[in-house]
Amino acid sequence: MPPLKYPRWALTLLATAQLIIALDATIIFVALHDMGRALQINAQQLQWVVSAYTVAFGGSLLLGGRAADLIGRRRFYRLGMLLFALASLLGALAPNATLLIIARAAQGIGAALLFPATLALINTLYAEGPVRNRALAIWSMASAVGLALGTLLGGVLTQAFGWPAVLAVIVPLATACAIAAGAWLPADGPRAQGRSFDLAGCITVTLGGSLLVTTLVQGPEWGWTAPATLGCLVLSALLLVAFVQIEQRSRDPLMQFALLRLPGLRAALGLTFAFMSSYGVQYYFMALYFQDGYGWSPLQAGLAFLPATAVCTLGIQLAEWALQRWSARKVLVLGQLAGALGIAWVAATLPHGSNFWPLLPGVVVLSIGQGMTWTSMWIVAGQGVPAAQQGVASGMAATAQQIGGALCLAVLVMVANAGAGAAGSATALDGLVRAEYGAALFALFGVLIALGLRPAAVDSNAPACLANDA
């Protein structure tokens, strides 16, 4: 591929895509309190306002990655942005919980089309090694800012304009990106001929994964030994087994199991799962504790996450520096360990007053670890993957991330609600603290995965731009 015509604007668009995806995952947290009151949403439905996005995102990522590889990455960047904008508008106008949850699921599908295309563009436009590491650091910075800034922006918008604003704010930004991509991203090559999407595989993995998460979310309400719970668990297992059988026999599989022989991608599946299970879900419980326990307004709760934004950006810059001197394994171990220690510090400190300052050391440590981990795990995920399969490989790693977040949020909400009373009661607040400790344990799981990682050879002589084989 010839040099990019607008390299800086192209990377800006790719980074903005990740900003929007990450922002939408957390901007909703501070608004949940007002959403629940305005739409009369109970605690179980309120969790689905969050989980619908992650379940739909995780369930559709493999299809999104495969389609981006076959049809074109710029095409799916633009399609994902437009779907994101439309779903956000519908969510902002939703008059009840059902339509809001449907809109959040549609946002998740848009993100599933967008994310693999974005990461595949980075991994094919920039050579493996320092050049790609720099591009991924900038992309990661946008993601980290989105995750942490989402709670701040959510608080500001909810306080000033009401909860619909946290969804409406995405509409103009996503629409502008879809339009600009036509000029600033390189055109796709001709569409691949004679290739299929493996519709049977897509249906079975999406239904199986989504049904498994649905069962975990609804289990506490249905009862774990209820026929509905057991039946859904068995059906989800059968669907996932059928998916494996379909992929092994398909002429053009959705997920190529041969990619799992790549040690970097194999490790990245566990690392992205652990990342979202720890760093990703802990914001949910912190935001609720700030409002239910400390009595803070949405704006106050959002401002409390501002230090995390700045420090996480510092963690990404530290990761870029460290990766030039140390192995990805060492950087990931340090990043996940910092997460475990920082989240545990926050959990231990939350019950002792309503002052933010005792929490600050833990927030600083976990935010540095978040930045170091995010950049490093995506570098590992792309190592050794052929250019023509970068989209589906990105989808595989991101599927583990999103399903991990949804599954572990369901588990930790169950932990938080065990024996809990009304929102704001002492038992309910104790449950939120237990959930924070659970997130710290998931970060330790990430440490174990990183310890098993082995260094991968990097071809430093590769050209700066690689062919975009769609």
Side-chain angles (χ1 to χ4, degrees):
M1 172 177 293
L4 290 171
K5 190 174 181 180
Y6 304 103
R8 292 184 179 179
W9 288 114
L11 187 54
T12 298
L13 281 180
L14 297 175
T16 303
Q18 190 54 25
L19 172 70
I20 291 174
I21 292 171
L23 187 72
D24 207 63
T26 57
I27 196 172
I28 208 85
F29 287 169
V30 177
L32 288 173
H33 192 267
D34 283 18
M35 283 180 181
R37 289 189 302 177
L39 300 181
Q40 299 297 303
I41 304 176
N42 62 36
Q44 211 67 32
Q45 290 175 317
L46 202 60
Q47 183 190 336
W48 269 106
V49 175
V50 178
S51 294
Y53 176 80
T54 52
V55 170
F57 190 1
S60 305
L61 273 163
L62 287 177
L63 177 62
R66 183 65 168 163
D69 284 341
L70 296 180
I71 295 179
R73 288 144 190 175
R74 189 179 75 170
R75 294 185 185 103
F76 268 76
Y77 178 99
R78 302 183 75 185
L79 179 61
M81 279 293 187
L82 289 174
L83 180 56
F84 219 116
L86 178 60
S88 298
L89 179 61
L90 293 176
L93 299 175
N96 54 55
T98 300
L99 289 178
L100 177 59
I101 291 170
I102 290 172
R104 287 284 290 164
Q107 282 184 317
I109 295 172
L113 302 181
L114 181 61
F115 183 91
T118 302
L119 192 55
L121 281 167
I122 291 177
N123 285 337
T124 53
L125 293 174
Y126 303 96
E128 190 173 328
V131 175
R132 187 186 298 175
N133 291 357
R134 178 61 179 163
L136 282 170
I138 294 171
W139 176 81
S140 298
M141 207 171 296
S143 177
V145 168
L147 282 174
L149 188 61
T151 48
L152 170 61
L153 186 59
V156 172
L157 292 173
T158 303
Q159 187 87 357
F161 305 107
W163 68 263
V166 303
L167 295 167
V169 71
I170 303 293
V171 178
L173 183 58
T175 303
C177 286
I179 295 170
W184 294 341
L185 292 181
D188 295 313
R191 300 185 185 185
Q193 301 298 319
R195 310 290 294 279
S196 72
F197 292 116
D198 185 16
L199 185 60
C202 177
I203 291 173
T204 50
V205 73
T206 301
L207 290 179
S210 300
L211 185 59
L212 177 60
V213 177
T214 300
T215 307
L216 288 175
V217 172
Q218 293 296 127
E221 185 173 319
W222 292 344
W224 292 108
T225 58
T229 305
L230 297 176
C232 286
L233 285 174
V234 171
L235 182 56
S236 65
L238 291 174
L239 285 167
L240 292 174
V241 169
F243 168 70
V244 174
Q245 295 296 320
I246 290 168
E247 297 308 282
Q248 289 176 338
R249 298 176 182 178
S250 175
R251 181 183 63 85
D252 208 4
L254 177 69
M255 175 178 167
Q256 300 186 28
F257 290 106
L259 289 173
L260 293 175
R261 291 200 292 267
L262 296 171
L265 181 58
R266 197 166 55 238
L269 298 179
L271 290 167
T272 55
F273 183 101
F275 178 91
M276 206 64 183
S277 302
S278 52
Y279 289 112
V281 304
Q282 56 96 22
Y283 286 112
Y284 177 90
F285 301 104
M286 285 178 66
L288 288 179
Y289 202 104
F290 288 159
Q291 294 178 86
D292 293 342
Y294 294 171
W296 292 356
S297 68
L299 178 59
Q300 288 174 310
L303 287 171
F305 290 98
L306 185 57
T309 304
V311 177
C312 191
T313 302
L314 176 63
I316 290 169
Q317 294 172 330
L318 181 60
E320 186 183 0
W321 174 87
L323 286 164
Q324 295 174 359
R325 294 160 176 81
W326 302 335
S327 67
R329 174 179 180 270
K330 186 173 184 179
V331 177
L332 283 164
V333 168
L334 291 174
Q336 291 281 12
L337 189 58
L341 294 174
I343 296 170
W345 178 289
V346 169
T349 311
L350 275 173
H352 301 291
S354 58
N355 192 323
F356 177 75
W357 296 110
L359 303 175
L360 188 58
V363 170
V364 168
V365 172
L366 76 88
S367 298
I368 289 175
Q370 178 178 333
M372 294 178 68
T373 303
W374 179 263
T375 304
S376 305
M377 71 186 187
W378 290 113
I379 288 172
V380 169
Q383 287 178 343
V385 179
Q389 297 174 337
Q390 283 286 351
V392 73
S394 301
M396 290 165 65
T399 297
Q401 176 195 359
Q402 294 303 319
I403 294 296
L407 286 172
C408 294
L409 178 61
V411 170
L412 293 180
V413 166
M414 181 181 66
V415 170
N417 291 341
S425 66
T427 54
L429 295 177
D430 287 343
L432 294 177
V433 172
R434 287 196 304 272
E436 280 284 303
Y437 278 121
L441 288 176
F442 282 122
L444 285 178
F445 173 60
V447 174
L448 295 177
I449 296 171
L451 285 171
L453 187 64
R454 293 294 175 263
V458 175
D459 182 6
S460 59
N461 296 318
C465 287
L466 304 177
N468 187 0
D469 181 5

